[in-house]
Amino acid sequence: MQLTAPANRSTRPTGIRDTDGMAVASFVLGLLGLLVLNVFLGPIAIALASVALWRGTARRGRALLGLGLGVADLLVLVAFMATDSTMSWSL
């Protein structure tokens, strides 16, 4: 009687899938951060992209886009703060 599932050797290790997920999450959060909550989503996107790149993700381009969008989020925030001297902005 076998109590555990057999190991499937054809799939990728969990660590690689986690870093790919981090790369995609950083891209999505960076993109979303351009529209709303850029003060929170920008640094999160930067952190996720950095960790994904450091761990060697297979989705390197997606992680780099997430990193760039996270930085762009913060630049947009700084530009709007310089314009109206508040932490918020409206369209």
Side-chain angles (χ1 to χ4, degrees):
M1 183 163 101
Q2 186 174 0
L3 296 176
T4 59
N8 188 357
R9 301 286 178 197
S10 65
T11 61
R12 296 189 323 188
T14 304
I16 299 295
R17 280 194 322 226
D18 289 346
T19 57
D20 289 351
M22 285 183 202
V24 172
S26 71
F27 172 71
V28 170
L29 291 177
L31 195 58
L32 187 61
L34 288 175
L35 303 174
V36 294
L37 297 172
N38 49 3
V39 70
F40 299 111
L41 297 180
I44 293 171
I46 292 170
L48 284 174
S50 299
V51 170
L53 288 170
W54 183 65
R55 289 186 180 177
T57 182
R59 296 181 186 231
R60 184 171 170 81
R62 190 76 42 96
L64 289 173
L65 282 173
L67 185 66
L69 286 170
V71 170
D73 291 347
L74 296 179
L75 291 177
V76 165
L77 176 66
V78 168
F80 280 115
M81 283 174 51
T83 302
D84 63 356
S85 302
T86 62
M87 285 289 287
S88 63
W89 56 277
S90 60
L91 296 175

